[in-house]
């Protein structure tokens, strides 16, 4: 596991884009698992700014999608992915997969048909969710319908006109599905994520904190800003909270 602490979210996005570009150059990234929300949006901008020639050859699988929004709603994750990824990356629509548009089993099968996800991008909820796997989700869960935690609906109300408009349910890749990806890149910025980040990296492995499951993965990089990292212990970083743009390897974690 590696932890990269960047001075700002934008610097974190630039570092993440550089990592993805390296993997694209090396032929190690053809299938990208994409997250929506605030955390990865600057990363997508940086990738487009970099103009990597292979961007349009990516196949993308979304983590999750709301249920119950009218077709074409601007905040459906299909719409967000079109706006932030498919159009700017010049992706053919056949390369863009979003759950909830068919059976969950068919979504899992489509991932397998593409030989799995090479790099899965993740944000983290302030309650520790990944995808829409809310606290209590099993670590071996697969793509399925879920109810959103009230705190998630409140957090995401900023994208809607009112809390009442935020869907109550969603379809999400399961934690087991996420852990099947060959590499994980987790982005967390801001003080509202600090407790969840510390619990995920240093607390118990527990279904109460879904992101703690990421410690079971053999290739995960956390990209944090200083605010999101502020509750990590010096031991976790193996440094005395020195701010650094170099990745820190957390000893003992796999
Ligand atoms: C979005 C997703 C969620 C978000 C998380 C953080 O596709 O799966 O887990 O990554 O809620 O959201 P932001 O980045 O908006 O703080």
């Amino acid at each position: 596991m590696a932890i990269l602490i960047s001075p700002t979210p934008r610097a974190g996005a630039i570092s993440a884009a550089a990592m993805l570009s390296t993997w694209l150059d090396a032929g190690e990234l053809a299938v990208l698992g994409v997250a929506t929300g605030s955390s990865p949006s600057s990363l997508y901008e940086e990738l487009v700014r970099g103009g990597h020639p292979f961007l349009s050859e990516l196949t993308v699988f979304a983590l999750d999608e709301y249920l119950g929004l009218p077709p074409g709603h601007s905040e459906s994750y299909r719409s967000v992915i079109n706006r932030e990824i498919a159009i700017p990356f010049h992706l053919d629509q056949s390369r863009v997969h979003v759950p909830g548009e068919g059976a969950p089993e068919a979504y899992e099968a489509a991932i397998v048909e593409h030989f799995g996800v090479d790099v899965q991008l993740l944000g983290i909820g302030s309650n520790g969710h990944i995808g829409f796997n809310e606290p209590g989700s099993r670590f071996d869960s697969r793509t399925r319908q879920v109810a959103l935690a009230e705190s998630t609906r409140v957090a995401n109300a900023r994208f809607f006109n009112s809390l009442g408009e935020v869907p109550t349910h969603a379809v999400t890749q399961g934690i087991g599905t996420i852990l099947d990806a060959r590499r994980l890149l987790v982005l967390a910025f801001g003080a509202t994520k600090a407790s969840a980040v510390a619990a995920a990296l240093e607390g118990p492995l527990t279904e109460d904190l879904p992101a703690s499951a990421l410690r079971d993965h053999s290739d995960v990089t956390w990209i944090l800003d200083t605010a999101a990292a502020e509750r990590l212990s010096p031991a976790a970083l193996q440094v005395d909270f020195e701010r650094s743009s170099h990745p820190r390897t957390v000893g003992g974690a796999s």
Side-chain angles (χ1 to χ4, degrees):
M1 180 189 296
I3 303 175
L4 178 75
I5 301 180
S6 298
T8 64
R10 176 62 69 171
I14 291 169
S15 298
M19 291 174 73
L20 292 178
S21 293
T22 301
W23 294 329
L24 278 167
D25 287 339
E28 295 173 7
L29 173 53
V31 179
L32 181 65
V34 292
T36 42
S38 308
S39 305
S41 53
S42 300
L43 160 59
Y44 301 137
E45 286 173 17
E46 291 302 331
L47 276 173
V48 171
R49 198 191 311 275
H52 199 290
F54 298 155
L55 275 190
S56 62
E57 293 172 26
L58 282 170
T59 294
V60 301
F61 281 88
L63 268 178
D64 39 22
E65 175 61 293
Y66 291 119
L67 288 173
L69 287 177
H73 190 287
S74 63
E75 292 307 321
S76 75
Y77 285 168
R78 166 65 78 173
S79 297
V80 172
I81 285 166
N82 276 337
R83 217 164 40 231
E84 296 191 357
I85 302 171
I87 294 170
F89 287 20
H90 302 292
L91 293 182
D92 188 274
Q93 278 298 322
S94 64
R95 295 181 174 278
V96 182
H97 302 262
V98 179
E101 297 175 357
E105 297 75 15
Y107 198 67
E108 295 266 343
I111 294 174
V112 172
E113 277 161 23
H114 285 81
F115 304 104
V117 170
D118 294 311
V119 180
Q120 177 66 57
L121 302 174
L122 294 167
I124 178 173
S126 45
N127 66 354
H129 73 208
I130 47 173
F132 279 138
N133 294 282
E134 302 286 18
S137 300
R138 290 176 55 107
F139 284 2
D140 62 357
S141 53
R142 310 300 305 185
T143 302
R144 68 202 187 287
Q145 289 193 16
V146 292
L148 295 180
E150 195 55 20
S151 64
T152 297
R153 295 187 62 243
V154 169
N156 289 5
R158 68 192 193 281
F159 297 114
F160 294 84
N161 293 319
S162 68
L163 178 58
E165 265 188 35
V166 184
T168 55
H169 289 77
V171 177
T172 183
Q173 289 188 30
I175 296 175
T177 320
I178 290 168
L179 293 176
D180 283 347
R182 282 179 272 283
R183 283 189 171 116
L184 305 179
L185 198 50
V186 193
L187 306 168
F189 304 121
T192 58
K193 303 295 174 70
S195 296
V197 166
L201 287 169
E202 298 194 77
L205 280 174
T206 169
E207 290 172 358
D208 293 339
L209 204 294
S212 66
L214 303 177
R215 299 220 301 273
D216 279 343
H217 197 279
S218 60
D219 191 337
V220 51
T221 301
W222 290 75
I223 297 193
L224 311 173
D225 67 350
T226 47
E230 71 190 2
R231 293 194 183 210
L232 288 175
S233 72
L237 296 173
Q238 292 187 325
V239 290
D240 189 20
F241 269 93
E242 178 193 348
R243 307 301 189 217
S244 169
S245 59
H246 299 293
R248 298 288 174 190
T249 300
V250 176
S254 59

